[in-house]
Amino acid sequence: MTVNTSGLHHVTAIAGDPQANIDFYVQGLGLRLVKKTVNFDDPSTYHLYYGDEAGRPGSLMTFFPWKGISSGRVGAGQSTSTAFSVPEGTLGWWQNHFKGLGVESSITRASADEERLSLRDPDGLQLDLIASSTIDPRNPWDSASVPAEYAVRGQHSSVLTVADPDKTIGVLTGDLGLHLIETTGNRTRLAAGDGRPGNIVDVIAEPNGRPGLTAGGTVHHIAFRVPDAATQEKWRQELVERGFHVTEILDRQYFTSIYFREPGGVLFEIATDTPGFDIDEPLLELGRSLKLPPWLEPSREAIENSVARIQVPAENNPAMAER
Ligand code: ZN
């Protein structure tokens, strides 16, 4: 491969009630809702994007909320945990913060330089906050719920659970350009680019693991970064030549995407860093109003009538975040 990824772009998961999802990710996790749009493949439902102030690649977590969806099952062939990067020494604060919101969490020491707080979102999605001794230089979103000194810096890593790790690791290293960091027990850590938080993938081997079922509270896909459309096009060509069934390039308005399934069953996306979330509303107003791509704009009235009414918390607006 002549093209490599520099790290994670976003993770997309399935939720139930959109309001519970917004309240948890904005007020609980302290992320910013950077885009309120619809699922382009099912415009009667939302697609909600959370991230840092600007929704930079590597900070993004997105959801398809389907009210009343049944719970999925976490298992082999899925991304089974999504980890966010927080500063060292903040996990006690986070545990208290979540306790105040009625969310139970537990702290474990994962390795000599890594501590993690594990919890579940309102739909049961497995999340970890990882405080590591590796400096994470990314600027966080400073909100009234989670002050900047504690705030999430962006993604830390994604965990993939698969029956046959060698094939998945082969794709991650041979076709996406990640490199091997270490194997401890049944967990192999890989990293892209500089290997900092946001560029890490852990592959867990579960040879007899029950396959997961993708529905509420499970990850739908994980996306890796590519700088621009021209590089994406070239990469797509190379993946097709290697025998992957890759989708056409799809316009996601804030980036363009291709998708393919890795041999372990996890759906991978490769998404561009450009154009970004301020293409259709100013940075200061991200997430404030329902944004639609040009091809859905003619159906705006019908769409607005079909999606659930939701309230975006006031601290999503930067002016309100000042204390
Ligand atoms: Zn995606």
Side-chain angles (χ1 to χ4, degrees):
M1 277 294 155
T2 58
V3 188
N4 289 333
T5 185
S6 61
L8 294 168
H9 187 285
H10 66 268
V11 171
T12 295
I14 300 174
D17 178 34
Q19 188 66 56
N21 186 257
I22 290 187
D23 292 347
F24 180 85
Y25 284 91
V26 172
Q27 297 176 318
L29 209 54
L31 300 182
R32 187 179 193 201
L33 178 72
V34 293
K35 197 62 63 183
K36 183 168 67 174
T37 182
V38 292
N39 183 338
F40 295 175
D41 304 317
D42 176 11
S44 66
T45 60
Y46 286 110
H47 191 179
L48 304 174
Y49 290 79
Y50 305 92
D52 64 10
E53 178 187 24
R56 291 177 186 87
S59 75
L60 291 165
M61 180 87 202
T62 99
F63 286 90
F64 298 133
W66 277 294
K67 230 174 178 162
I69 190 165
S70 56
S71 294
R73 184 177 68 227
V74 174
Q78 284 180 333
S79 173
T80 49
S81 178
T82 303
F84 295 92
S85 168
V86 297
E88 239 188 330
T90 61
L91 293 188
W93 183 89
W94 277 105
Q95 190 159 40
N96 260 330
H97 169 72
F98 281 118
K99 198 174 176 189
L101 299 169
V103 178
E104 288 304 314
S105 62
S106 60
I107 297 178
T108 49
R109 178 157 284 285
S111 68
D113 59 359
E114 217 174 88
E115 248 194 325
R116 81 178 62 216
L117 179 81
S118 302
L119 66 150
R120 289 176 185 275
D121 86 351
D123 293 292
L125 185 73
Q126 180 66 50
L127 302 175
D128 290 299
L129 299 188
I130 295 184
S132 102
S133 53
T134 307
I135 299 291
D136 190 338
R138 294 174 291 178
N139 285 325
W141 170 237
D142 186 10
S143 83
S145 333
V146 181
E149 55 184 310
Y150 308 109
V152 166
R153 265 54 187 166
Q155 302 273 357
H156 178 279
S157 50
S158 278
V159 175
L160 312 183
T161 300
V162 292
D164 180 355
D166 292 348
K167 286 184 183 164
T168 298
I169 292 168
V171 170
L172 288 166
T173 54
D175 302 298
L176 295 179
L178 281 75
H179 52 274
L180 202 67
I181 302 292
E182 60 176 0
T183 300
T184 319
N186 67 344
R187 179 187 290 251
T188 298
R189 174 158 289 192
L190 301 114
D194 61 12
R196 286 196 181 184
N199 305 330
I200 299 167
V201 173
D202 285 343
V203 176
I204 293 184
E206 271 193 14
N208 302 311
R210 198 173 171 207
L213 177 72
T214 305
T218 64
V219 171
H220 187 267
H221 63 265
I222 68 169
F224 294 92
R225 295 174 65 172
V226 64
D228 51 50
T231 317
Q232 183 180 53
E233 172 72 59
K234 189 173 157 198
W235 202 350
R236 183 182 181 280
Q237 215 45 55
E238 291 191 27
L239 289 166
V240 168
E241 280 162 20
R242 287 186 174 205
F244 289 97
H245 297 281
V246 189
T247 65
E248 293 304 312
I249 293 174
L250 296 167
D251 184 358
R252 297 316 194 190
Q253 181 76 354
Y254 312 105
F255 43 85
T256 57
S257 299
I258 55 174
Y259 303 81
F260 66 97
R261 211 169 276 282
E262 60 83 32
V266 184
L267 185 60
F268 281 178
E269 174 182 351
I270 294 172
T272 53
D273 285 355
T274 50
F277 289 89
D278 58 357
I279 188 179
D280 59 2
E281 61 188 335
L283 189 62
L284 291 175
E285 294 174 15
L286 294 186
R288 195 179 288 179
S289 45
L290 181 70
K291 305 310 288 187
L292 299 175
W295 63 91
L296 290 178
E297 206 50 71
S299 319
R300 175 174 281 277
E301 203 182 332
I303 289 171
E304 284 181 346
N305 287 330
S306 65
V307 292
R309 293 273 164 272
I310 50 175
Q311 189 75 38
V312 179
E315 60 257 47
N316 209 57
N317 176 345
M320 298 299 290
E322 283 170 18
R323 290 177 302 281

